[in-house]
Amino acid sequence: MRLSRYFLPVLKETPSEAQIVSHRYMLRAGMIKQQAAGIYSWLPMGFKVLRKIEDIIHEEQAKAGHIAMQMPTLQTADLWRESGRYDGYGEEMLRMQDRHGRDMLFSPTAEELFTDVFRSHVSSYKDLPLTLYQIQWKFRDEIRPRFGVMRGREFYMKDGYNFDLSKEDALHAYNRHLVSYLRTYERMGLQAIPMRADSGPIGGDDTHEFLVLAETGESEVFYDSEVTDLTFGDREIDFDSVEQCQAVLEEFTSRYARTDETHDEALFNQVPQERRRVARGIEVGQIFYFGTKYSDALGATVQGPDGKPTPVHMGSHGIGVSRLLGAIIEASHDDKGIIWPEGVTPFHCGIVNLKQGDEAADEACNALYASLSALGLEPLYDDRNERAGGKFATMDLIGLPWRITVGPRGLKNGVVEVTCRRTGENTEMPPEQAIAKIAEIYGKVAG
Ligand code: ATP
Ligand code: MG
């Protein structure tokens, strides 16, 4: 993309309404625009990162054997009356009526809808196990929407639902989701720690929340510092293997790590004092096992191996897709702007032309742009007639992890400059080498 042709409405002033750094940078970098309290338009660059996050989630869900589909955002109240949650859900549910006076609502979550699809189409244990999910907009009329996309009223969520014949199978689904989520967050450059949590209105006993440590997090968390040493890395896992998924669960959840809702001071005190940590965290996901709560209420049964109707065991699993943008920025920025992890960056690298209109510089930039694009990479070429300082400030603000700077003086010596956004390290090298370096970082092979 050439910046002169893109739509990147960068703000010079720091917006006064933004209290935390991710909100400030998302507004300043032209990623979102507020339309009402907790409701945002996603401008092109914000939308691009949202899509990258979504792609990672879809890829990792597919690896775990989960099946994507899409539910409507508007639902009738009837299903929620059937499950008994319509009255109980409270003020967070946005309720409305259609022209016939029928009660409708904007989905705050979708246990009922998925259970309804299941009960309509699945009747035998032979069709199990089954895990269906969607990535869809949700609405919760939060009392205090704040911090930009972190606590919106309209927000984008991945929500998945497993249907299993037995508790044992459903617990395997739970463990499989835990493993799959660990991989998902790591690919986004995040450490999200699974913590024992409280189930809230979804219900059930077994639940873990995934928290990203950040001073601006809304949850108070208590943990053994050893949990921050754990990484899933690129190990291979067979998601069908009960033992393998169980082993990962044990590895990642055996040390003390809890949110304030489930915190137990006596247990915490058994952790050696030098490893006890109290901090703040951002909840980026949660997994639940809730047994037959919804299948009982909505009559979701299958014919079991013995021929008898058996209610299915279920769980649900959520990732805060739009909140993740804020969480990633909270975890990865400096005083000049965002620092995108390579896995979610909106463009793979920036190209800065120090002297637009200089024949050699223009030609070298065009050649870099063409070569990187041919490798399947997306560079953002700042081809505007602007001062170098302004171009650098924009690149730093929008946080592309790599920048190639091209100027007439360097070109005379046959070099361009490659800059790492995270470390600020600059290296001069010939353009071909710069291409090879960027290609290698993103796992592409330069020709
Ligand atoms: P919270 O405790 O933060 O209100 P929750 O536990 O009610 O969240 P879940 O039902 O577990 O939320 O939803 C799954 C994920 O959706 C959460 O882990 C979170 O990342 C995200 N999420 C929930 N509420 C919001 C919101 N208002 N704005 C943005 N993301 C949200
Ligand atoms: Mg939650």
Side-chain angles (χ1 to χ4, degrees):
M1 181 58 64
R2 285 166 190 273
L3 194 47
S4 63
R5 296 181 198 168
Y6 197 46
F7 180 58
L8 184 74
V10 166
L11 304 180
K12 293 235 161 57
E13 309 290 312
T14 298
S16 57
E17 75 269 26
Q19 300 164 31
I20 60 170
V21 68
S22 57
H23 190 194
R24 275 200 294 279
Y25 284 156
M26 286 184 77
L27 291 169
R28 280 195 53 210
M31 297 175 68
I32 51 171
K33 178 184 184 310
Q34 184 175 315
Q35 302 296 158
I39 301 179
Y40 292 87
S41 293
W42 291 78
L43 306 180
M45 206 180 72
F47 184 56
K48 215 161 189 304
V49 179
L50 195 67
R51 297 268 296 273
K52 290 244 171 155
I53 291 176
E54 210 178 326
D55 289 347
I56 292 177
I57 295 172
H58 280 305
E59 282 171 29
E60 291 302 325
Q61 287 297 304
K63 283 180 198 155
H66 305 158
I67 303 166
M69 59 180 285
Q70 189 87 303
M71 291 293 189
T73 52
L74 297 185
Q75 313 177 8
T76 69
D78 297 348
L79 264 180
W80 287 69
R81 293 207 173 95
E82 228 183 306
S83 73
R85 283 209 292 180
Y86 186 65
D87 294 323
Y89 208 93
E91 300 267 52
E92 277 192 14
M93 182 186 276
L94 182 67
R95 297 156 207 254
M96 65 200 93
Q97 289 190 336
D98 67 11
R99 66 198 296 168
H100 306 294
R102 274 192 285 261
D103 291 329
M104 309 282 292
L105 57 99
F106 196 115
S107 177
T109 174
E111 279 77 12
E112 282 80 357
L113 274 187
F114 276 86
T115 310
D116 179 58
V117 165
F118 180 88
R119 73 177 172 184
S120 307
H121 297 289
V122 182
S123 55
S124 164
Y125 76 95
K126 289 180 189 147
D127 296 324
L128 304 183
L130 181 65
T131 296
L132 301 171
Y133 78 96
Q134 66 171 346
I135 302 182
Q136 178 62 295
W137 293 96
K138 303 289 185 296
F139 195 95
R140 293 184 188 171
D141 207 351
E142 301 274 356
I143 190 159
R144 265 186 83 203
R146 56 182 186 154
F147 300 159
V149 300
M150 292 274 227
R151 185 162 296 282
R153 291 196 297 165
E154 189 185 50
F155 61 98
Y156 207 35
M157 196 211 277
K158 174 263 167 181
D159 48 322
Y161 306 84
N162 66 283
F163 303 90
D164 287 279
L165 185 62
S166 64
K167 175 170 183 181
E168 202 184 9
D169 289 355
L171 288 176
H172 172 56
Y174 185 90
N175 300 350
R176 196 174 64 229
H177 279 84
L178 185 126
V179 179
S180 158
Y181 278 22
L182 289 171
R183 292 170 59 112
T184 303
Y185 296 120
E186 280 188 20
R187 279 188 60 188
M188 298 173 191
L190 280 179
Q191 179 170 47
I193 304 167
M195 300 199 182
R196 185 168 287 286
D198 185 59
S199 65
I202 307 272
D205 303 328
D206 288 282
T207 180
H208 280 88
E209 284 181 348
F210 289 78
L211 285 111
V212 172
L213 297 175
E215 280 163 28
T216 49
E218 289 187 290
S219 318
E220 188 170 33
V221 298
F222 303 81
Y223 62 94
D224 177 340
S225 64
E226 282 189 357
V227 297
T228 57
D229 300 334
L230 300 170
T231 49
F232 189 81
D234 52 10
R235 54 180 114 160
E236 289 294 323
I237 184 141
D238 173 3
F239 281 100
D240 289 332
S241 162
V242 171
E243 294 73 29
Q244 284 186 29
C245 292
Q246 175 78 35
V248 175
L249 174 106
E250 278 161 15
E251 177 185 345
F252 281 83
T253 64
S254 60
R255 293 172 187 78
Y256 192 93
R258 294 188 178 203
T259 63
D260 49 5
E261 293 161 346
T262 54
H263 178 56
D264 178 330
E265 198 64 30
L267 263 182
F268 189 48
N269 286 334
Q270 290 173 19
V271 177
Q273 190 174 358
E274 69 280 7
R275 297 200 330 237
R276 260 179 256 157
R277 299 282 185 280
V278 182
R280 303 201 69 83
I282 302 166
E283 181 197 330
V284 291
Q286 186 163 11
I287 56 177
F288 301 88
Y289 163 70
F290 45 68
T292 58
K293 176 177 166 172
Y294 294 92
S295 44
D296 283 337
L298 297 169
T301 57
V302 291
Q303 189 181 45
D306 55 4
K308 294 199 184 117
T310 316
V312 287
H313 286 255
M314 290 175 59
S316 69
H317 319 276
I319 295 181
V321 183
S322 47
R323 180 180 285 181
L324 271 167
L325 275 95
I328 292 169
I329 297 172
E330 290 297 325
S332 185
H333 67 269
D334 62 14
D335 56 3
K336 290 188 240 160
I338 303 164
I339 306 175
W340 290 116
E342 271 107 7
V344 299
T345 184
F347 296 95
H348 295 100
C349 71
I351 301 173
V352 169
N353 188 341
L354 290 178
K355 200 160 184 207
Q356 207 66 43
D358 175 274
E359 205 177 313
D362 290 2
E363 207 173 286
C365 286
N366 287 335
L368 278 169
Y369 186 85
S371 304
L372 289 164
S373 304
L375 287 166
L377 295 170
E378 262 191 298
L380 180 68
Y381 170 21
D382 192 344
D383 59 345
R384 297 170 305 162
N385 252 322
E386 280 249 348
R387 286 178 310 109
K391 291 188 174 185
F392 289 147
T394 301
M395 282 292 173
D396 285 344
L397 173 65
I398 68 173
L400 309 185
W402 297 92
R403 185 183 83 208
I404 307 177
T405 309
V406 181
R409 214 174 309 154
L411 287 176
K412 277 202 185 109
N413 301 320
V415 294
V416 296
E417 198 175 70
V418 176
T419 307
C420 172
R421 175 69 182 85
R422 193 171 293 281
T423 63
E425 197 188 334
N426 287 312
T427 321
E428 289 194 331
M429 58 184 82
E432 310 75 60
Q433 208 177 312
I435 294 164
K437 184 180 167 88
I438 303 291
E440 194 195 333
I441 288 163
Y442 291 104
K444 310 270 180 190
V445 182

